[in-house]
Amino acid sequence: MRIALMVIRKIYLVPFLFFKIWLASKRYKGDYTKGFQLAKTISKHAIKAGNITLETHGVENVPKEDGFIFYPNHQGLFDVLTLYHSCPKPFACVIKKEAKDVILLKQVLQATGSLAMDREDIRQSMQIINQVAKEVQEGRNYLIFAEGHRSKEGNKLLDFKGGSFKAAQKAKCPIVPCALINSFVPFDENSIRKVTVKLIYMKPMYYDEYCNMKTNEIAAEVKRRIEETIAQYESE
């Protein structure tokens, strides 16, 4: 119902925005700033039209220098909209291959230079990890959902997969944990009631902090920090 509400309220903009993001996906390969700005615009209109309030905290924790990776908990399709809407720095995403052909999402991902990973194909997964590490070293920013799949238990997290942190380890880059609260509600509930979603950008973990840790230890630590932050902000 909420997606329908978004479309109905912004029906006059849908063809125009779709054309713009499609054009960006074809025209600006290698320069993804335009695609990111369009993704921000789409997110802004979707959130406003969908009766959603987004509370953002800790934007000052986003590193000033490019070349970092966001690691949020994963609650659903709305997650990426929250970061597109609020993040001051362009970033690309690593998504599961099943999502890469969804209409509009496909064009947004292409326009932002995002990558699709086949988690069942170890060789392809390693290629993606290596590509992300290389691009991050060159100054791009990425978002990776370390749980692998969305949690279906509200604000409770799944285990974070150690392999998701190999790209950060190879790039020796800042890891920026992000805590999402109630991000599952907008698209999971068959309702158009007003809803508040919270996004907290947490303090980065720099390489000197995790350089001697194994990837599964990094995963456990990032998960712990996000759980603590959710517990802190959930009741506010």
Side-chain angles (χ1 to χ4, degrees):
M1 288 180 67
R2 197 177 304 272
I3 293 174
L5 178 67
M6 291 175 177
V7 172
I8 290 168
R9 283 184 168 177
K10 297 292 179 176
I11 191 66
Y12 63 96
L13 275 177
V14 171
F16 173 73
L17 289 175
F18 181 83
F19 173 74
K20 294 284 285 184
I21 200 71
W22 174 84
L23 192 63
S25 72
K26 302 297 181 183
R27 180 177 290 180
Y28 303 109
K29 289 187 176 180
D31 178 8
Y32 301 110
T33 305
K34 181 70 173 179
F36 177 75
Q37 292 302 325
L38 285 168
K40 285 182 77 71
T41 299
I42 291 170
S43 301
K44 179 185 74 173
H45 285 294
I47 288 170
K48 184 176 181 180
N51 242 7
I52 301 162
T53 299
L54 176 61
E55 286 187 14
T56 307
H57 305 268
V59 175
E60 68 277 6
N61 291 323
V62 177
K64 299 295 186 291
E65 293 186 8
D66 290 320
F68 56 83
I69 302 178
F70 290 121
Y71 284 94
N73 55 312
H74 191 18
Q75 298 191 338
L77 287 174
F78 190 72
D79 300 348
V80 178
L81 293 180
T82 68
L83 279 99
Y84 278 146
H85 183 272
S86 61
C87 185
K89 293 275 193 173
F91 65 87
C93 304
V94 176
I95 61 153
K96 59 183 181 180
K97 67 169 187 175
E98 292 82 2
K100 70 181 179 66
D101 292 322
V102 176
I103 190 71
L104 185 58
L105 179 59
K106 174 182 178 179
Q107 286 72 31
V108 170
L109 295 171
Q110 289 176 342
T112 54
S114 297
L115 302 171
M117 177 183 286
D118 183 353
R119 295 183 182 275
E120 303 300 319
D121 186 333
I122 296 176
R123 183 176 179 180
Q124 191 266 359
S125 296
M126 284 305 302
Q127 288 175 341
I128 295 295
I129 287 168
N130 290 333
Q131 183 175 346
V132 170
K134 180 177 182 293
E135 292 186 14
V136 170
Q137 285 177 322
E138 293 171 350
R140 293 199 71 204
N141 310 312
Y142 266 89
L143 180 153
I144 297 176
F145 291 113
E147 288 162 289
H149 303 281
R150 55 165 291 191
S151 171
K152 295 184 179 180
E153 298 184 57
N155 293 318
K156 184 177 179 180
L157 275 61
L158 303 176
D159 286 335
F160 278 31
K161 300 180 184 299
S164 300
F165 293 87
K166 287 181 180 179
Q169 203 173 50
K170 286 175 177 286
K172 300 181 180 179
C173 70
I175 290 170
V176 186
C178 303
L180 285 162
I181 300 172
N182 292 338
S183 186
F184 64 94
V185 175
F187 292 162
D188 278 11
E189 285 192 358
N190 192 26
S191 167
I192 57 173
R193 69 180 179 87
K194 289 184 178 179
V195 60
T196 298
V197 175
K198 297 181 182 181
L199 166 62
I200 303 95
Y201 293 97
M202 299 162 59
K203 291 183 178 180
M205 287 178 64
Y206 291 95
Y207 182 66
D208 59 357
E209 183 178 352
Y210 67 82
C211 61
N212 294 320
M213 299 169 67
K214 296 178 180 178
T215 53
N216 63 329
E217 294 173 332
I218 301 170
E221 176 61 17
V222 171
K223 179 188 177 186
R224 182 190 68 79
R225 294 185 186 191
I226 293 175
E227 286 178 328
E228 287 185 355
T229 300
I230 288 175
Q232 175 187 347
Y233 281 87
E234 195 172 14
S235 58
E236 291 183 1

